[in-house]
Amino acid sequence: MPSQIVLSLIVFVPLAAAAVLLVPGWTGQAIRWLWVAVTTVDLALVGWAWWIYDRPAGGELALDAQVPWIPGVDSSYHVGVDGLSLPVIAMTAVIFLACAIYALRDTDDRPRAQVALFLFLQSVSLGLFVAADLILFFVFFDLSIVAMYFVIAGWGHGDARRSALKFFLYTFVGSLVLLLGFIGLYVVADPHTFDMVELAAQPPSADGTLTGGLILAAILLGLAIKTPAVPFHTWLPPAHTDAPAIGSAVLAAVLLKMGTYGFVRVAMPMLPSSWQDWAPVVIVVGVVSVIYGALVALAQTDLKRMIAYTSVNHMGYVLVAVGAAGVVAADTADARSVAVTGAVTQMVSHGLITGALFLLAGVFFARADSYDLDGYGGLASSAPRLATLFSLGAFASLGLPAFSGFIAEFQIFTGSIAAVPVTAVALVGILLVAGLFLWALQRIFTGPVAGRSPGFADLRVTETAAVGVLIALSIVIGVMPRPLLDVIEPAATTLVDLVGR
Protein backbone atom coordinates (compact mmCIF):
# COMPACT_ATOMS: atom_id res chain seq x y z
CA MET A 1 0.00 0.00 0.00
CA PRO A 2 1.53 3.38 -1.01
CA SER A 3 2.29 5.38 2.11
CA GLN A 4 0.80 8.52 0.54
CA ILE A 5 -2.74 7.13 0.66
CA VAL A 6 -2.69 5.55 4.13
CA LEU A 7 -3.95 8.66 5.93
CA SER A 8 -6.66 9.28 3.35
CA LEU A 9 -7.90 5.72 3.78
CA ILE A 10 -7.94 6.17 7.55
CA VAL A 11 -10.08 9.29 7.16
CA PHE A 12 -12.48 8.19 4.44
CA VAL A 13 -13.07 4.47 5.05
CA PRO A 14 -15.65 5.24 7.80
CA LEU A 15 -17.33 7.82 5.55
CA ALA A 16 -17.54 5.31 2.71
CA ALA A 17 -19.12 2.79 5.08
CA ALA A 18 -21.66 5.40 6.14
CA ALA A 19 -22.59 5.84 2.48
CA VAL A 20 -23.03 2.07 2.13
CA LEU A 21 -25.70 2.21 4.83
CA LEU A 22 -27.86 4.24 2.46
CA VAL A 23 -28.50 1.01 0.56
CA PRO A 24 -31.77 -0.51 1.87
CA GLY A 25 -32.09 -3.99 3.33
CA TRP A 26 -29.80 -3.76 6.36
CA THR A 27 -31.04 -5.27 9.62
CA GLY A 28 -30.30 -3.58 12.95
CA GLN A 29 -27.76 -6.16 14.10
CA ALA A 30 -26.09 -6.25 10.69
CA ILE A 31 -25.65 -2.48 10.85
CA ARG A 32 -24.07 -2.64 14.29
CA TRP A 33 -21.73 -5.46 13.30
CA LEU A 34 -20.77 -3.48 10.19
CA TRP A 35 -19.83 -0.62 12.52
CA VAL A 36 -17.59 -2.95 14.52
CA ALA A 37 -15.99 -4.28 11.34
CA VAL A 38 -15.33 -0.83 9.87
CA THR A 39 -13.83 0.55 13.08
CA THR A 40 -11.66 -2.57 13.33
CA VAL A 41 -10.40 -2.04 9.78
CA ASP A 42 -9.75 1.62 10.49
CA LEU A 43 -7.81 0.76 13.64
CA ALA A 44 -5.78 -1.75 11.62
CA LEU A 45 -4.97 1.03 9.11
CA VAL A 46 -3.84 3.26 11.98
CA GLY A 47 -1.68 0.39 13.22
CA TRP A 48 -0.17 0.11 9.75
CA ALA A 49 0.51 3.85 9.70
CA TRP A 50 2.23 3.55 13.09
CA TRP A 51 4.30 0.61 11.81
CA ILE A 52 5.58 2.46 8.72
CA TYR A 53 5.89 5.80 10.51
CA ASP A 54 9.37 7.24 10.13
CA ARG A 55 10.16 10.20 12.34
CA PRO A 56 10.22 13.28 10.08
CA ALA A 57 12.79 16.03 10.14
CA GLY A 58 12.06 18.97 12.43
CA GLY A 59 8.87 20.75 11.38
CA GLU A 60 8.03 18.27 8.62
CA LEU A 61 5.30 15.62 8.53
CA ALA A 62 5.45 11.90 7.79
CA LEU A 63 3.12 10.04 5.39
CA ASP A 64 2.64 13.40 3.71
CA ALA A 65 0.16 13.79 0.84
CA GLN A 66 -0.89 17.03 -0.85
CA VAL A 67 -3.36 17.78 -3.63
CA PRO A 68 -4.33 21.31 -4.83
CA TRP A 69 -7.78 22.30 -3.55
CA ILE A 70 -8.35 26.08 -3.54
CA PRO A 71 -5.23 27.33 -5.35
CA GLY A 72 -6.33 30.98 -5.33
CA VAL A 73 -5.61 31.19 -1.60
CA ASP A 74 -2.92 28.48 -1.53
CA SER A 75 -5.13 25.99 0.27
CA SER A 76 -4.75 22.29 -0.46
CA TYR A 77 -5.86 18.89 0.66
CA HIS A 78 -2.71 18.40 2.71
CA VAL A 79 -2.43 15.63 5.29
CA GLY A 80 0.42 14.25 7.36
CA VAL A 81 1.36 13.10 10.85
CA ASP A 82 4.08 13.48 13.42
CA GLY A 83 4.56 12.55 17.06
CA LEU A 84 1.98 15.10 18.19
CA SER A 85 -0.83 13.74 16.03
CA LEU A 86 -0.20 10.01 15.56
CA PRO A 87 -0.91 9.04 19.21
CA VAL A 88 -4.14 11.06 19.21
CA ILE A 89 -5.21 9.43 15.95
CA ALA A 90 -4.61 5.98 17.44
CA MET A 91 -6.58 6.89 20.56
CA THR A 92 -9.46 8.16 18.40
CA ALA A 93 -9.63 4.92 16.42
CA VAL A 94 -9.65 2.87 19.65
CA ILE A 95 -12.44 4.98 21.16
CA PHE A 96 -14.71 4.56 18.15
CA LEU A 97 -14.11 0.81 18.12
CA ALA A 98 -14.94 0.61 21.83
CA CYS A 99 -18.16 2.58 21.22
CA ALA A 100 -19.11 0.26 18.36
CA ILE A 101 -18.64 -2.80 20.57
CA TYR A 102 -20.53 -1.16 23.44
CA ALA A 103 -23.47 -0.35 21.13
CA LEU A 104 -23.94 -4.01 20.22
CA ARG A 105 -26.14 -4.22 23.32
CA ASP A 106 -28.71 -1.93 21.66
CA THR A 107 -31.18 -3.72 19.43
CA ASP A 108 -33.23 -0.79 18.18
CA ASP A 109 -33.10 3.03 18.51
CA ARG A 110 -32.67 3.81 14.79
CA PRO A 111 -29.36 1.99 14.27
CA ARG A 112 -28.96 2.99 10.61
CA ALA A 113 -28.99 6.73 11.34
CA GLN A 114 -26.97 6.37 14.53
CA VAL A 115 -24.20 4.26 13.04
CA ALA A 116 -23.98 6.40 9.89
CA LEU A 117 -23.68 9.51 12.04
CA PHE A 118 -20.93 8.02 14.21
CA LEU A 119 -19.02 6.83 11.13
CA PHE A 120 -19.25 10.35 9.74
CA LEU A 121 -18.06 11.74 13.08
CA GLN A 122 -15.14 9.32 13.05
CA SER A 123 -14.08 10.51 9.61
CA VAL A 124 -14.17 14.20 10.47
CA SER A 125 -12.38 13.62 13.79
CA LEU A 126 -9.54 11.70 12.16
CA GLY A 127 -9.50 14.24 9.33
CA LEU A 128 -8.83 17.07 11.76
CA PHE A 129 -5.90 15.28 13.39
CA VAL A 130 -4.19 14.59 10.04
CA ALA A 131 -4.97 17.99 8.48
CA ALA A 132 -1.97 20.09 7.48
CA ASP A 133 -3.96 22.97 6.00
CA LEU A 134 -5.86 25.50 8.11
CA ILE A 135 -8.97 25.51 5.91
CA LEU A 136 -9.07 21.70 5.92
CA PHE A 137 -8.60 21.77 9.70
CA PHE A 138 -11.48 24.23 10.06
CA VAL A 139 -13.83 22.22 7.83
CA PHE A 140 -13.35 19.10 9.93
CA PHE A 141 -13.56 21.17 13.14
CA ASP A 142 -16.95 22.59 12.12
CA LEU A 143 -18.36 19.29 10.84
CA SER A 144 -17.57 17.64 14.18
CA ILE A 145 -19.81 20.20 15.89
CA VAL A 146 -22.70 19.46 13.54
CA ALA A 147 -22.34 15.70 13.96
CA MET A 148 -22.21 15.85 17.77
CA TYR A 149 -25.24 18.16 17.84
CA PHE A 150 -27.32 15.47 16.12
CA VAL A 151 -25.88 12.74 18.36
CA ILE A 152 -27.00 14.57 21.51
CA ALA A 153 -30.34 15.79 20.14
CA GLY A 154 -31.24 12.51 18.44
CA TRP A 155 -30.19 9.90 20.98
CA GLY A 156 -29.83 11.80 24.25
CA HIS A 157 -32.15 11.87 27.22
CA GLY A 158 -33.40 14.43 29.69
CA ASP A 159 -33.40 17.89 28.14
CA ALA A 160 -31.29 16.65 25.24
CA ARG A 161 -32.41 19.16 22.62
CA ARG A 162 -31.68 22.13 24.85
CA SER A 163 -28.28 20.71 25.80
CA ALA A 164 -27.48 19.98 22.15
CA LEU A 165 -28.43 23.53 21.16
CA LYS A 166 -26.26 25.01 23.92
CA PHE A 167 -23.37 22.82 22.82
CA PHE A 168 -23.82 23.86 19.20
CA LEU A 169 -24.12 27.59 19.85
CA TYR A 170 -21.13 27.77 22.18
CA THR A 171 -18.78 25.70 20.06
CA PHE A 172 -19.98 27.16 16.75
CA VAL A 173 -19.25 30.69 18.00
CA GLY A 174 -15.84 29.38 19.03
CA SER A 175 -15.28 27.97 15.55
CA LEU A 176 -16.14 31.33 13.94
CA VAL A 177 -13.63 33.10 16.18
CA LEU A 178 -11.10 30.41 15.28
CA LEU A 179 -11.75 31.00 11.57
CA LEU A 180 -11.16 34.71 12.11
CA GLY A 181 -7.79 33.86 13.61
CA PHE A 182 -6.94 31.57 10.67
CA ILE A 183 -7.81 34.31 8.20
CA GLY A 184 -5.61 36.66 10.21
CA LEU A 185 -2.72 34.20 9.90
CA TYR A 186 -3.24 34.06 6.14
CA VAL A 187 -3.31 37.85 5.81
CA VAL A 188 -0.10 38.50 7.75
CA ALA A 189 1.81 35.55 6.26
CA ASP A 190 4.31 36.32 3.51
CA PRO A 191 3.65 34.70 1.12
CA HIS A 192 -0.05 34.28 1.91
CA THR A 193 -0.84 30.63 2.65
CA PHE A 194 -3.03 28.36 4.74
CA ASP A 195 -0.43 25.56 4.71
CA MET A 196 0.32 24.64 8.31
CA VAL A 197 3.83 23.32 7.63
CA GLU A 198 4.86 26.53 5.86
CA LEU A 199 3.32 28.73 8.56
CA ALA A 200 5.16 26.82 11.28
CA ALA A 201 8.46 26.97 9.38
CA GLN A 202 8.17 30.72 8.70
CA PRO A 203 6.02 32.46 11.33
CA PRO A 204 4.12 35.50 10.05
CA SER A 205 5.97 38.81 10.28
CA ALA A 206 3.29 40.16 12.65
CA ASP A 207 4.22 37.56 15.28
CA GLY A 208 5.08 39.25 18.57
CA THR A 209 3.33 42.48 17.58
CA LEU A 210 -0.09 43.72 18.66
CA THR A 211 -1.56 42.24 15.47
CA GLY A 212 0.00 38.86 16.14
CA GLY A 213 -1.27 38.99 19.72
CA LEU A 214 -4.81 39.69 18.55
CA ILE A 215 -4.67 36.85 16.02
CA LEU A 216 -3.44 34.47 18.73
CA ALA A 217 -6.16 35.73 21.08
CA ALA A 218 -8.81 34.74 18.51
CA ILE A 219 -7.25 31.31 18.04
CA LEU A 220 -6.91 30.81 21.80
CA LEU A 221 -10.55 31.76 22.41
CA GLY A 222 -11.84 29.37 19.73
CA LEU A 223 -9.73 26.51 21.05
CA ALA A 224 -10.42 27.28 24.73
CA ILE A 225 -14.17 26.93 24.16
CA LYS A 226 -13.65 23.54 22.55
CA THR A 227 -11.18 22.35 25.22
CA PRO A 228 -13.14 23.53 27.41
CA ALA A 229 -11.28 25.88 29.73
CA VAL A 230 -12.81 27.92 32.53
CA PRO A 231 -14.80 30.17 32.06
CA PHE A 232 -15.79 28.79 28.63
CA HIS A 233 -16.80 25.38 29.96
CA THR A 234 -20.49 25.85 30.79
CA TRP A 235 -21.72 24.02 27.70
CA LEU A 236 -19.95 20.81 28.77
CA PRO A 237 -21.87 19.47 31.84
CA PRO A 238 -25.37 19.58 30.27
CA ALA A 239 -24.06 18.17 26.99
CA HIS A 240 -22.50 15.22 28.79
CA THR A 241 -25.40 14.68 31.18
CA ASP A 242 -27.99 14.43 28.42
CA ALA A 243 -25.89 12.73 25.72
CA PRO A 244 -26.02 8.97 25.16
CA ALA A 245 -23.13 7.02 26.68
CA ILE A 246 -21.27 6.56 23.39
CA GLY A 247 -21.84 10.22 22.58
CA SER A 248 -20.33 11.30 25.90
CA ALA A 249 -17.37 8.97 25.38
CA VAL A 250 -16.58 10.45 21.96
CA LEU A 251 -17.21 14.01 23.13
CA ALA A 252 -14.81 13.70 26.08
CA ALA A 253 -12.20 11.46 24.50
CA VAL A 254 -12.02 12.92 21.00
CA LEU A 255 -13.77 16.25 20.52
CA LEU A 256 -12.22 17.95 23.55
CA LYS A 257 -8.79 17.02 22.17
CA MET A 258 -9.48 19.09 19.08
CA GLY A 259 -9.01 22.12 21.32
CA THR A 260 -5.85 21.01 23.09
CA TYR A 261 -4.41 19.58 19.85
CA GLY A 262 -4.98 22.96 18.22
CA PHE A 263 -2.68 24.57 20.80
CA VAL A 264 0.28 22.35 19.91
CA ARG A 265 -0.43 22.13 16.18
CA VAL A 266 -1.48 25.71 15.37
CA ALA A 267 -1.09 28.30 18.10
CA MET A 268 2.35 27.46 19.50
CA PRO A 269 4.42 26.82 16.36
CA MET A 270 2.80 29.45 14.10
CA LEU A 271 2.87 32.39 16.53
CA PRO A 272 5.77 31.54 18.85
CA SER A 273 6.60 35.06 20.06
CA SER A 274 2.95 35.87 20.70
CA TRP A 275 2.58 32.53 22.49
CA GLN A 276 5.43 33.55 24.81
CA ASP A 277 3.55 36.77 25.56
CA TRP A 278 0.29 34.92 26.27
CA ALA A 279 1.90 32.00 28.16
CA PRO A 280 1.26 33.45 31.67
CA VAL A 281 -2.43 33.87 30.82
CA VAL A 282 -2.60 30.29 29.57
CA ILE A 283 -0.98 29.04 32.77
CA VAL A 284 -3.44 30.97 34.95
CA VAL A 285 -6.42 29.65 32.98
CA GLY A 286 -4.99 26.14 33.26
CA VAL A 287 -4.49 26.34 37.03
CA VAL A 288 -7.99 27.77 37.53
CA SER A 289 -9.46 25.00 35.35
CA VAL A 290 -7.60 22.32 37.32
CA ILE A 291 -8.76 23.51 40.74
CA TYR A 292 -12.22 24.74 39.78
CA GLY A 293 -13.03 21.59 37.80
CA ALA A 294 -12.02 19.37 40.73
CA LEU A 295 -13.91 21.43 43.32
CA VAL A 296 -17.13 21.53 41.33
CA ALA A 297 -16.83 17.80 40.54
CA LEU A 298 -16.52 17.16 44.27
CA ALA A 299 -19.85 18.90 44.86
CA GLN A 300 -21.84 16.84 42.32
CA THR A 301 -24.48 14.26 43.16
CA ASP A 302 -24.90 13.31 39.49
CA LEU A 303 -22.31 10.74 38.39
CA LYS A 304 -22.13 11.95 34.79
CA ARG A 305 -21.77 15.61 35.74
CA MET A 306 -19.03 14.62 38.17
CA ILE A 307 -17.08 12.88 35.41
CA ALA A 308 -17.71 15.84 33.09
CA TYR A 309 -16.15 18.28 35.54
CA THR A 310 -13.11 16.03 35.94
CA SER A 311 -12.58 16.60 32.20
CA VAL A 312 -12.33 20.34 32.89
CA ASN A 313 -9.75 19.46 35.55
CA HIS A 314 -7.73 17.13 33.33
CA MET A 315 -7.71 19.47 30.34
CA GLY A 316 -6.46 22.14 32.73
CA TYR A 317 -3.30 20.06 33.19
CA VAL A 318 -2.69 20.27 29.44
CA LEU A 319 -3.10 24.06 29.52
CA VAL A 320 -0.62 24.34 32.40
CA ALA A 321 1.94 22.31 30.44
CA VAL A 322 1.64 24.14 27.11
CA GLY A 323 1.61 27.47 28.95
CA ALA A 324 4.81 26.54 30.79
CA ALA A 325 6.36 25.61 27.45
CA GLY A 326 5.94 29.23 26.39
CA VAL A 327 7.89 30.66 29.32
CA VAL A 328 11.23 30.57 27.53
CA ALA A 329 14.49 30.55 29.46
CA ALA A 330 17.86 29.29 28.33
CA ASP A 331 18.20 26.53 30.91
CA THR A 332 14.63 25.16 30.78
CA ALA A 333 14.36 23.72 27.26
CA ASP A 334 14.51 20.12 28.47
CA ALA A 335 11.92 20.76 31.18
CA ARG A 336 9.56 22.45 28.72
CA SER A 337 9.96 19.51 26.34
CA VAL A 338 8.99 17.12 29.16
CA ALA A 339 5.91 19.27 29.87
CA VAL A 340 4.78 19.14 26.24
CA THR A 341 5.38 15.38 26.14
CA GLY A 342 3.19 15.08 29.22
CA ALA A 343 0.49 17.23 27.62
CA VAL A 344 0.24 14.98 24.55
CA THR A 345 0.36 11.87 26.73
CA GLN A 346 -2.45 13.37 28.81
CA MET A 347 -4.58 13.79 25.68
CA VAL A 348 -4.25 10.07 24.99
CA SER A 349 -4.62 9.04 28.63
CA HIS A 350 -7.67 11.18 29.30
CA GLY A 351 -9.32 9.86 26.15
CA LEU A 352 -8.93 6.25 27.23
CA ILE A 353 -9.82 6.70 30.90
CA THR A 354 -12.68 9.18 30.64
CA GLY A 355 -14.10 7.39 27.63
CA ALA A 356 -14.25 4.24 29.76
CA LEU A 357 -15.86 6.09 32.69
CA PHE A 358 -18.57 7.59 30.49
CA LEU A 359 -19.38 4.18 29.01
CA LEU A 360 -19.71 2.83 32.56
CA ALA A 361 -21.94 5.76 33.50
CA GLY A 362 -24.19 4.72 30.63
CA VAL A 363 -24.63 1.34 32.31
CA PHE A 364 -26.15 3.02 35.38
CA PHE A 365 -28.68 4.89 33.24
CA ALA A 366 -29.49 1.82 31.15
CA ARG A 367 -30.18 -0.27 34.27
CA ALA A 368 -31.87 2.21 36.61
CA ASP A 369 -32.59 5.33 34.55
CA SER A 370 -30.56 7.51 36.95
CA TYR A 371 -27.08 8.96 37.50
CA ASP A 372 -27.86 9.92 41.10
CA LEU A 373 -24.93 8.94 43.30
CA ASP A 374 -27.16 8.74 46.36
CA GLY A 375 -29.51 6.33 44.59
CA TYR A 376 -27.08 3.42 44.73
CA GLY A 377 -25.20 1.48 47.37
CA GLY A 378 -23.53 -1.88 47.86
CA LEU A 379 -23.21 -2.58 44.13
CA ALA A 380 -19.90 -4.38 44.59
CA SER A 381 -21.76 -7.50 45.70
CA SER A 382 -24.34 -7.60 42.91
CA ALA A 383 -22.21 -6.15 40.08
CA PRO A 384 -18.58 -7.16 40.70
CA ARG A 385 -17.44 -6.60 37.09
CA LEU A 386 -18.86 -3.09 37.12
CA ALA A 387 -17.24 -2.41 40.50
CA THR A 388 -13.87 -3.70 39.30
CA LEU A 389 -13.75 -1.73 36.06
CA PHE A 390 -15.14 1.45 37.62
CA SER A 391 -12.55 1.23 40.41
CA LEU A 392 -9.76 0.77 37.88
CA GLY A 393 -11.07 3.72 35.86
CA ALA A 394 -11.27 5.87 38.99
CA PHE A 395 -7.72 4.97 40.08
CA ALA A 396 -6.46 5.66 36.56
CA SER A 397 -8.20 9.05 36.50
CA LEU A 398 -6.69 10.16 39.80
CA GLY A 399 -3.21 9.39 38.47
CA LEU A 400 -2.28 6.28 40.40
CA PRO A 401 1.04 4.67 39.34
CA ALA A 402 0.78 1.81 36.80
CA PHE A 403 -1.83 3.79 34.82
CA SER A 404 -1.34 6.18 31.91
CA GLY A 405 -2.61 9.10 33.99
CA PHE A 406 0.42 8.85 36.26
CA ILE A 407 2.83 8.92 33.30
CA ALA A 408 1.09 11.99 31.84
CA GLU A 409 0.69 13.99 35.05
CA PHE A 410 4.17 13.16 36.33
CA GLN A 411 5.69 14.59 33.14
CA ILE A 412 3.37 17.60 33.12
CA PHE A 413 4.26 18.62 36.66
CA THR A 414 7.93 17.69 36.45
CA GLY A 415 8.40 19.83 33.35
CA SER A 416 6.05 22.65 34.32
CA ILE A 417 7.35 23.11 37.87
CA ALA A 418 10.96 23.03 36.67
CA ALA A 419 10.17 25.75 34.10
CA VAL A 420 7.61 27.74 36.11
CA PRO A 421 7.65 26.81 39.82
CA VAL A 422 4.34 28.53 40.57
CA THR A 423 2.52 25.84 38.58
CA ALA A 424 2.96 23.59 41.63
CA VAL A 425 -0.30 25.16 42.85
CA ALA A 426 -2.14 22.91 40.39
CA LEU A 427 -1.07 19.85 42.38
CA VAL A 428 -4.04 20.59 44.62
CA GLY A 429 -6.24 19.34 41.77
CA ILE A 430 -4.78 15.83 42.04
CA LEU A 431 -5.67 15.64 45.74
CA LEU A 432 -9.22 16.83 45.08
CA VAL A 433 -9.76 14.34 42.25
CA ALA A 434 -8.46 11.51 44.44
CA GLY A 435 -10.95 12.50 47.14
CA LEU A 436 -13.95 12.77 44.86
CA PHE A 437 -13.38 9.39 43.19
CA LEU A 438 -12.79 7.61 46.49
CA TRP A 439 -15.97 9.19 47.83
CA ALA A 440 -17.92 8.12 44.74
CA LEU A 441 -16.62 4.55 45.04
CA GLN A 442 -17.67 4.43 48.66
CA ARG A 443 -21.17 5.75 47.97
CA ILE A 444 -21.90 3.50 45.00
CA PHE A 445 -20.18 0.21 45.72
CA THR A 446 -19.72 -0.25 49.46
CA GLY A 447 -22.12 -0.57 52.36
CA PRO A 448 -25.49 -2.34 52.31
CA VAL A 449 -27.41 -2.77 49.06
CA ALA A 450 -29.77 0.20 48.85
CA GLY A 451 -31.71 2.50 46.58
CA ARG A 452 -31.73 1.34 42.97
CA SER A 453 -29.10 -1.37 43.59
CA PRO A 454 -31.41 -4.38 44.22
CA GLY A 455 -31.72 -6.32 40.98
CA PHE A 456 -28.98 -4.27 39.28
CA ALA A 457 -27.56 -6.43 36.47
CA ASP A 458 -23.81 -6.65 36.10
CA LEU A 459 -21.94 -5.72 32.92
CA ARG A 460 -22.76 -7.62 29.75
CA VAL A 461 -20.04 -9.15 27.61
CA THR A 462 -20.03 -6.29 25.09
CA GLU A 463 -19.95 -3.66 27.84
CA THR A 464 -17.10 -5.45 29.60
CA ALA A 465 -15.13 -5.79 26.37
CA ALA A 466 -15.60 -2.15 25.33
CA VAL A 467 -14.57 -0.72 28.70
CA GLY A 468 -11.98 -3.38 29.43
CA VAL A 469 -9.91 -2.64 26.33
CA LEU A 470 -9.71 1.07 27.24
CA ILE A 471 -8.65 0.35 30.82
CA ALA A 472 -6.19 -2.30 29.63
CA LEU A 473 -4.54 0.19 27.26
CA SER A 474 -4.24 2.70 30.10
CA ILE A 475 -2.45 0.04 32.15
CA VAL A 476 -0.18 -0.92 29.24
CA ILE A 477 0.87 2.72 28.81
CA GLY A 478 1.31 3.08 32.55
CA VAL A 479 3.56 0.03 32.80
CA MET A 480 5.36 0.28 29.43
CA PRO A 481 5.19 3.93 28.27
CA ARG A 482 8.34 3.86 26.17
CA PRO A 483 6.75 2.91 22.77
CA LEU A 484 4.37 5.88 23.11
CA LEU A 485 6.98 8.29 24.45
CA ASP A 486 9.44 7.36 21.70
CA VAL A 487 6.95 8.79 19.21
CA ILE A 488 5.96 11.89 21.21
CA GLU A 489 9.28 13.09 22.63
CA PRO A 490 11.06 14.09 19.38
CA ALA A 491 8.02 16.04 18.22
CA ALA A 492 7.73 17.74 21.62
CA THR A 493 11.40 18.78 21.44
CA THR A 494 10.83 20.18 17.97
CA LEU A 495 7.79 22.12 19.17
CA VAL A 496 9.73 23.62 22.08
CA ASP A 497 12.49 24.66 19.66
CA LEU A 498 9.89 26.34 17.41
CA VAL A 499 8.33 28.19 20.34
CA GLY A 500 11.74 29.34 21.54
CA ARG A 501 12.71 30.99 18.26
Side-chain angles (χ1 to χ4, degrees):
M1 181 189 301
S3 61
Q4 293 81 2
I5 68 170
V6 172
L7 297 182
S8 295
L9 285 175
I10 289 171
V11 172
F12 293 111
V13 161
L15 188 61
V20 169
L21 289 177
L22 298 176
V23 178
W26 290 91
T27 64
Q29 276 301 97
I31 290 171
R32 297 201 180 280
W33 278 108
L34 173 68
W35 188 14
V36 173
V38 172
T39 50
T40 301
V41 169
D42 216 37
L43 180 58
L45 288 170
V46 172
W48 175 249
W50 194 299
W51 179 259
I52 64 175
Y53 173 77
D54 189 15
R55 188 176 75 198
E60 298 297 321
L61 296 175
L63 307 179
D64 185 275
Q66 188 169 12
V67 177
W69 182 30
I70 313 175
V73 294
D74 195 20
S75 178
S76 62
Y77 171 79
H78 188 187
V79 296
V81 294
D82 64 3
L84 303 177
S85 54
L86 187 57
V88 184
I89 292 166
M91 180 271 294
T92 298
V94 169
I95 288 294
F96 276 97
L97 175 57
C99 288
I101 295 171
Y102 184 90
L104 288 172
R105 68 178 194 171
D106 300 323
T107 56
D108 47 18
D109 206 12
R110 295 163 292 149
R112 183 193 299 267
Q114 185 187 56
V115 171
L117 187 58
F118 270 88
L119 288 170
F120 172 79
L121 183 56
Q122 182 172 357
S123 279
V124 299
S125 299
L126 292 166
L128 181 140
F129 294 129
V130 303
D133 180 275
L134 289 177
I135 297 300
L136 190 64
F137 183 100
F138 175 78
V139 168
F140 288 129
F141 190 95
D142 244 18
L143 290 176
S144 71
I145 297 171
V146 176
M148 185 52 67
Y149 166 80
F150 285 110
V151 168
I152 298 171
W155 287 271
H157 41 259
D159 200 358
R161 293 187 178 181
R162 180 182 177 86
S163 297
L165 182 61
K166 186 174 184 178
F167 159 80
F168 182 85
L169 291 177
Y170 263 74
T171 52
F172 186 67
V173 168
S175 76
L176 293 179
V177 177
L178 184 65
L179 178 61
L180 184 63
F182 286 176
I183 293 173
L185 275 174
Y186 172 82
V187 170
V188 300
D190 185 20
H192 300 312
T193 182
F194 283 106
D195 190 86
M196 295 163 72
V197 175
E198 293 182 20
L199 288 168
Q202 297 181 337
S205 57
D207 183 30
T209 67
L210 176 61
T211 300
L214 292 174
I215 292 171
L216 181 60
I219 294 172
L220 284 176
L221 178 57
L223 296 175
I225 292 173
K226 190 81 166 187
T227 294
V230 175
F232 311 110
H233 67 288
T234 55
W235 62 266
L236 182 70
H240 271 310
T241 302
D242 296 333
I246 54 177
S248 287
V250 170
L251 177 59
V254 180
L255 267 64
L256 300 191
K257 306 311 177 296
M258 295 178 181
T260 52
Y261 176 76
F263 292 129
V264 299
R265 176 58 69 209
V266 179
M268 296 174 70
M270 296 182 194
L271 293 164
S273 295
S274 296
W275 182 266
Q276 293 176 36
D277 295 336
W278 277 86
V281 177
V282 176
I283 291 173
V284 170
V285 172
V287 171
V288 171
S289 297
V290 166
I291 298 176
Y292 175 86
L295 284 172
V296 178
L298 189 61
Q300 300 304 307
T301 59
D302 182 292
L303 175 62
K304 226 178 179 196
R305 289 180 72 90
M306 185 196 80
I307 299 171
Y309 276 109
T310 64
S311 289
V312 177
N313 164 270
H314 284 86
M315 292 300 94
Y317 296 142
V318 177
L319 290 172
V320 169
V322 296
V327 181
V328 176
D331 59 345
T332 62
D334 290 342
R336 289 181 284 118
S337 178
V338 170
V340 172
T341 300
V344 178
T345 306
Q346 176 74 341
M347 295 184 208
V348 176
S349 174
H350 175 267
L352 297 173
I353 297 166
T354 307
L357 289 173
F358 273 121
L359 292 181
L360 289 173
V363 173
F364 287 89
F365 193 85
R367 303 291 195 275
D369 201 33
S370 174
Y371 298 119
D372 183 16
L373 286 167
D374 296 324
Y376 300 94
L379 274 181
S381 59
S382 60
R385 291 192 297 276
L386 173 62
T388 299
L389 287 179
F390 193 94
S391 298
L392 290 173
F395 292 142
S397 188
L398 60 85
L400 201 69
F403 293 97
S404 58
F406 173 78
I407 301 298
E409 291 169 18
F410 178 80
Q411 291 181 105
I412 286 172
F413 283 107
T414 298
S416 298
I417 294 172
V420 187
V422 73
T423 57
V425 175
L427 286 167
V428 175
I430 295 179
L431 296 176
L432 293 172
V433 170
L436 73 90
F437 271 116
L438 292 174
W439 191 33
L441 287 171
Q442 182 183 30
R443 295 163 76 180
I444 298 172
F445 295 105
T446 64
V449 175
R452 295 179 174 86
S453 297
F456 193 102
D458 204 355
L459 295 181
R460 302 172 185 173
V461 173
T462 54
E463 294 165 341
T464 303
V467 175
V469 70
L470 300 180
I471 299 297
L473 284 172
S474 176
I475 295 172
V476 169
I477 294 171
V479 175
M480 297 184 296
R482 182 45 50 192
L484 177 64
L485 299 183
D486 282 343
V487 173
I488 298 174
E489 284 174 349
T493 300
T494 299
L495 179 62
V496 167
D497 290 342
L498 291 175
V499 172
R501 285 176 290 182

